[in-house]
Amino acid sequence: MPKVSVIIPVYGVEKYIERCARSLFEQTLDDIEYLFIDDCTLDKSVEILKRVLEEYPHRKSQVVIHRMEQNSGQAKVREWGMRNARGEYVIHCDSDDWLDVHMYEEMYNKAIEEDADVVVCDFCSTDCENEQYSKGLISKERENVIADILLWRIAGCLWNKLVKRKEYTDHDLNYPTHNMGEDAALIVQILWNAKRISYLPKPLYYYYTNPTSITKDVTDDKIRQHFLQATANVELIEQFLDGKATGKITDALTKYIFEQSYLIVSLAMKNKEDLSIWRRSVVKIRSRVYKCSYLSIKNKLVFYFLLFKSVI
């Protein structure tokens, strides 16, 4: 059994895969399984990956390159990886990012030392010119961690969280099927079940913020698509936390739903059909918004204005 399995989706990253792969193959932890999952990429990402691998012959036996039968999206790709990983611990890596060469050794050692189910590290967001440091945790107490994710105080991502594989296999997890907010939908479930969460306060992961990937010309259809995908993953979180959540998490979840609904507010303001879509997504929290301590008075006024507008 490898100490760590790393799951790396591959799609459209020919400009970045070499940087990512080298940072993975140069890890100081020797006993690693690498699961590169080709989501039917149309570029030369896999070809470049294989070329880089030739320079690391000692890693060849540790590498799996799997091709999905059809383009399935990151949520399904990651699910395949999690169901096929063999490591004692599992972590994810985005193929346009890179990491400190000591990352997995330090995180694994921390996990063993503290018998942790989850180990979280800090990270840097960077466009290769500027860096922004982000703390991975504020509190190690389970309910605080979940609330902090729902409040966007910390990142609800998978790539800076080393998770004991038993946390995937020993619990009946609901895997996300949509690609907006899928990390948070899964990590909330994992954290809820985790008995011990450890923290490594070092920026070991580098999250690449590609300045060319964000366009100002976002179509209305794309906004709707993103909103509906995000809503599906919010519902997954709600279903999982139903009957479990405390007041703190309930309030945080209310704000999370409120903020996700803002993905479509610009359309809802001018289009009755989109207003109806918005209403269906938020009507369940209408009685919780006015007493939610995390929402401002302005937030609440806008919310109830739109709610009123949607029924006249």
Side-chain angles (χ1 to χ4, degrees):
M1 177 192 296
K3 291 178 179 178
V4 172
S5 291
V6 190
I7 298 166
I8 313 105
V10 178
Y11 186 84
V13 287
E14 63 181 9
K15 294 181 180 179
Y16 315 109
I17 187 69
E18 179 172 349
R19 179 180 62 192
C20 177
R22 290 190 186 279
S23 72
L24 288 167
F25 297 149
E26 292 175 8
Q27 286 295 299
T28 54
L29 181 67
D30 290 329
D31 193 6
I32 304 180
E33 173 187 53
Y34 300 96
L35 298 169
F36 290 93
I37 307 165
D38 172 12
D39 196 20
C40 301
T41 187
L42 301 175
D43 65 4
K44 296 181 180 180
S45 296
V46 175
E47 181 182 327
I48 295 169
L49 169 63
K50 290 178 178 178
R51 174 176 58 77
V52 173
L53 181 57
E54 288 298 319
E55 300 179 35
Y56 300 86
H58 63 292
R59 293 295 193 189
K60 284 188 175 182
S61 64
Q62 301 174 334
V63 172
V64 173
I65 300 177
H66 171 78
R67 182 176 172 86
M68 300 293 283
E69 292 183 2
Q70 61 185 25
N71 180 258
S72 306
Q74 188 157 270
K76 295 302 292 182
V77 167
R78 283 181 169 170
E79 181 180 350
W80 186 94
M82 287 179 280
R83 293 192 184 282
N84 287 276
R86 299 179 298 114
E88 182 184 359
Y89 283 82
V90 178
I91 196 165
H92 298 256
C93 178
D94 286 353
S95 47
D96 54 352
D97 300 338
W98 69 97
L99 42 150
D100 187 289
V101 295
H102 303 286
M103 177 172 175
Y104 296 149
E105 181 177 26
E106 293 196 25
M107 294 188 80
Y108 178 79
N109 288 343
K110 185 75 168 179
I112 297 304
E113 288 168 10
E114 300 188 0
D115 189 26
D117 298 307
V118 181
V119 179
V120 184
C121 73
D122 296 342
F123 65 94
C124 287
S125 301
T126 177
D127 60 3
C128 295
E129 293 184 3
N130 304 294
E131 287 186 0
Q132 180 177 343
Y133 182 98
S134 296
K135 291 178 66 67
L137 277 188
I138 299 171
S139 163
K140 292 196 290 185
E141 198 277 319
R142 181 187 67 176
E143 293 191 3
N144 288 340
V145 178
I146 293 172
D148 286 340
I149 286 172
L150 296 175
L151 292 169
W152 303 93
R153 291 173 175 168
I154 61 173
C157 51
L158 294 167
W159 33 252
N160 72 329
K161 297 174 181 68
L162 184 72
V163 178
K164 189 175 288 185
R165 184 161 61 90
K166 285 187 176 182
E167 295 303 310
Y168 288 108
T169 60
D170 291 1
H171 301 285
D172 188 19
L173 301 178
N174 291 321
Y175 284 93
T177 57
H178 297 81
N179 296 325
M180 290 291 291
E182 75 276 11
D183 279 22
L186 189 59
I187 201 62
V188 163
Q189 298 177 68
I190 290 169
L191 290 168
W192 183 269
N193 292 319
K195 293 182 176 63
R196 180 169 295 181
I197 301 168
S198 293
Y199 178 40
L200 193 60
K202 291 184 177 182
L204 298 174
Y205 191 90
Y206 292 85
Y207 174 72
Y208 180 54
T209 54
N210 186 346
T212 65
S213 66
I214 302 172
T215 175
K216 296 178 181 178
D217 300 320
V218 178
T219 66
D220 288 359
D221 284 343
K222 185 64 71 173
I223 291 173
R224 290 187 194 98
Q225 179 186 351
H226 286 173
F227 172 74
L228 293 172
Q229 289 182 345
T231 298
N233 285 324
V234 168
E235 289 174 355
L236 193 154
I237 295 173
E238 283 187 284
Q239 291 166 9
F240 177 79
L241 291 176
D242 186 37
K244 302 184 183 79
T246 63
K248 179 191 301 182
I249 292 181
T250 299
D251 262 11
L253 182 58
T254 298
K255 187 170 188 285
Y256 188 73
I257 295 168
F258 175 90
E259 290 186 341
Q260 291 287 6
S261 75
Y262 256 82
L263 289 170
I264 202 172
V265 161
S266 61
L267 302 184
M269 288 286 197
K270 60 185 180 182
N271 185 302
K272 285 189 176 181
E273 181 180 344
D274 291 313
L275 184 59
S276 296
I277 295 172
W278 174 86
R279 177 184 171 81
R280 288 196 296 271
S281 75
V282 300
V283 68
K284 56 202 165 191
I285 63 169
R286 60 185 174 186
S287 64
R288 288 159 37 191
V289 165
Y290 80 94
K291 59 182 179 182
C292 178
S293 59
Y294 298 122
L295 291 173
S296 68
I297 293 175
K298 181 179 179 181
N299 290 153
K300 295 173 184 181
L301 289 174
V302 170
F303 178 85
Y304 287 114
F305 168 76
L306 280 175
L307 204 61
F308 174 75
K309 185 178 178 181
S310 68
V311 294
I312 60 175

